[in-house]
Amino acid sequence: MTYKNKLIRNTLISYMVIIVAFVIIRMLSAFHLLDFMGLWAEYVFNIVVQIGLLLCTSIFLFSALNKKRPAETAQFFGFRKISFKAILMCIGIGAMVFLLNIFVATFFSIILQLLGYNYMPGETITNYPIYLLVTNVIFTAILPGVCEEVAHRGLLMRGLSPLSIKKAIIISAVLFGLVHMNIEQFFYATIIGLFIGYLAYTCDSIYPAIIVHFMNNFLSVYIGFSQANNLFVGKVYSLFISSLTGNFFLGMIVALLTCLLLVWGLYSLTRNLQKTLRKQAINEIQQAVLKEVIRSEYIEKVEKSKQEIADDNNLKLKESQLQSQSKVELNLNYVSEIEQELMGEEGDFKLSLTNKILLISIFVLLGGVTLFTYIWGLIC
């Protein structure tokens, strides 16, 4: 089996373990077999799924299967630092994604209702203290923002990159939508997944994806808190929604203009983010190359000194200095060992039968659960 097929196989095995365990836990929860934990059940469920499965399994099982250190896996997944300016841009992009997501979710909600799907009414929170806001931010924004991105834009997108980055982005986005195991969330989660995957790839870092994902979830949580406590942000959001729903034609015009403005802003800010990170990468490469030049010059001087020195003791001393200095390697921080091995493998790539079966099985399992939620919404 080629290295590319081995990498894809190990990626799919890791993800299969995650979703099988996830489905089992969801079934236990659905049949009230976790009720013995009382109010802690939801928090334990989130910790086990987010940290235990999506984060730890993605990194440590993938590392074990590929015989790599977790730090090497993290580098392959795209944990490459970004500047403070880039972080601010990602926050802005995340806010725009959240606003666009309102229209996307509403559109698919209308389609599902026309097809006969009945939405379950959400729980209305009247008493929303600050401690509950902090708890919801942790479990709804921070953990999913980090853990779900590691599993999908790290493990899946990077691990399936031998198929072509385009296919890897699409597959990881669709599975990201399916892993929510809810037909109500599948469509907009998939669309967000496509954009976030594109962002992670073009920025060559997973951090923009994490920040955008976090912002999308955080704003949803904070607006709910603001509305329940009659705060300014909640009032503005309610006014915006009422302007869309109060009058059909006026609402359509406002929605269209808002969407166009958001798409333009998202495009402009994304382009600026990519340029900023490209400049950052070039600067880091230039600094690394400069260090390598200095190291090479030092080694050259030591080599000349070795030829001029006749004394054995001095020669050993120089050799010791050379070995010590040689440990300083050129580290561009952009090409992991896994990527180097992928680039070193030549020839046409063909997906193995084992990997095809694994990939289809994952889609069948997650697709089946998501389809069941649609059927359940039709009959309830």
Side-chain angles (χ1 to χ4, degrees):
M1 183 181 286
T2 63
Y3 182 76
K4 290 180 179 180
N5 266 306
K6 286 181 182 178
L7 180 66
I8 292 175
R9 181 199 62 190
N10 294 337
T11 298
L12 294 176
I13 288 174
S14 301
Y15 194 71
M16 176 67 84
V17 169
I18 292 171
I19 63 167
V20 168
F22 189 18
V23 169
I24 291 173
I25 294 173
R26 284 290 293 266
M27 289 177 65
L28 292 174
S29 178
F31 288 106
H32 305 288
L33 297 178
L34 300 179
D35 289 354
F36 68 91
M37 288 186 285
L39 297 174
W40 292 97
E42 184 180 350
Y43 300 117
V44 173
F45 174 85
N46 270 284
I47 291 172
V48 170
V49 170
Q50 296 288 345
I51 299 178
L53 294 178
L54 294 172
L55 180 63
C56 292
T57 303
S58 293
I59 293 176
F60 294 108
L61 180 57
F62 180 84
S63 298
L65 291 173
N66 288 284
K67 299 178 181 178
K68 300 292 183 183
R69 294 176 294 106
E72 174 61 29
T73 295
Q75 186 184 16
F76 175 64
F77 282 2
F79 280 94
R80 299 177 177 117
K81 64 180 181 179
I82 60 176
S83 65
F84 180 71
K85 180 181 178 182
I87 291 173
L88 294 179
M89 289 182 180
C90 290
I91 291 173
I93 291 172
M96 292 182 190
V97 167
F98 168 76
L99 292 174
L100 273 174
N101 191 32
I102 296 172
F103 299 103
V104 174
T106 302
F107 173 77
F108 284 109
S109 171
I110 294 171
I111 297 297
L112 286 174
Q113 289 182 52
L114 291 175
L115 294 174
Y117 182 82
N118 297 310
Y119 277 81
M120 298 296 179
E123 182 182 354
T124 303
I125 302 176
T126 53
N127 183 23
Y128 204 148
I130 189 70
Y131 78 86
L132 186 58
L133 170 66
V134 174
T135 302
N136 286 339
V137 167
I138 293 172
F139 286 95
T140 307
I142 296 176
L143 288 184
V146 175
C147 303
E148 291 179 12
E149 289 309 309
V150 168
H152 293 90
R153 257 54 67 179
L155 173 68
L156 274 179
M157 193 185 82
R158 300 287 179 173
L160 298 178
S161 58
L163 293 173
S164 81
I165 192 60
K166 182 178 179 180
K167 290 179 181 178
I169 291 174
I170 293 172
I171 292 172
S172 62
V174 175
L175 290 176
F176 175 66
L178 290 173
V179 83
H180 287 79
M181 299 183 191
N182 188 329
I183 193 65
E184 298 175 19
Q185 296 176 288
F186 166 71
F187 296 103
Y188 68 78
T190 299
I191 292 174
I192 289 178
L194 288 170
F195 173 74
I196 292 178
Y198 165 78
L199 198 64
Y201 170 68
T202 55
C203 293
D204 201 20
S205 172
I206 198 173
Y207 286 118
I210 290 174
I211 295 170
V212 171
H213 192 156
F214 163 78
M215 281 301 298
N216 180 71
N217 292 13
F218 168 76
L219 287 174
S220 178
V221 170
Y222 183 73
I223 286 174
F225 171 79
S226 296
Q227 288 178 315
N229 291 280
N230 202 30
L231 300 179
F232 176 74
V233 173
K235 291 179 181 178
V236 172
Y237 181 78
S238 297
L239 181 63
F240 173 68
I241 296 300
S242 63
S243 69
L244 296 175
T245 57
N247 182 286
F248 178 77
F249 293 105
L250 179 61
M252 288 293 291
I253 293 172
V254 172
L256 181 61
L257 292 176
T258 304
C259 283
L260 290 174
L261 183 63
L262 287 171
V263 169
W264 174 80
L266 198 58
Y267 171 79
S268 301
L269 202 53
T270 300
R271 288 292 300 273
N272 286 332
L273 174 64
Q274 291 165 348
K275 290 178 181 177
T276 298
L277 292 180
R278 234 177 264 125
K279 289 179 181 177
Q280 177 185 324
I282 291 171
N283 289 336
E284 290 180 0
I285 291 172
Q286 288 174 338
Q287 291 174 9
V289 170
L290 180 60
K291 289 179 182 178
E292 175 65 9
V293 170
I294 294 172
R295 185 179 75 92
S296 298
E297 290 177 351
Y298 176 83
I299 293 174
E300 186 179 349
K301 288 179 181 179
V302 172
E303 288 291 345
K304 289 180 179 178
S305 298
K306 283 170 63 177
Q307 295 175 5
E308 297 171 358
I309 298 173
D311 184 59
D312 265 353
N313 292 329
N314 287 337
L315 180 58
K316 287 179 181 179
L317 177 62
K318 288 292 182 179
E319 286 177 345
S320 174
Q321 291 175 345
L322 175 63
Q323 290 172 359
S324 175
Q325 188 64 24
S326 295
K327 292 179 181 178
V328 182
E329 298 176 351
L330 175 61
N331 179 19
L332 300 183
N333 200 31
Y334 277 86
V335 183
S336 64
E337 290 179 11
I338 298 175
E339 289 170 309
Q340 290 175 19
E341 292 182 54
L342 286 174
M343 290 186 291
E345 186 173 278
E346 299 179 354
D348 295 332
F349 169 71
K350 186 177 180 181
L351 191 65
S352 68
L353 178 61
T354 301
N355 286 335
K356 288 179 181 178
I357 293 172
L358 280 170
L359 188 57
I360 292 171
S361 299
I362 290 170
F363 271 103
V364 168
L365 178 58
L366 289 179
V369 175
T370 303
L371 183 60
F372 174 78
T373 65
Y374 171 66
I375 296 172
W376 186 259
L378 291 177
I379 62 179
C380 289

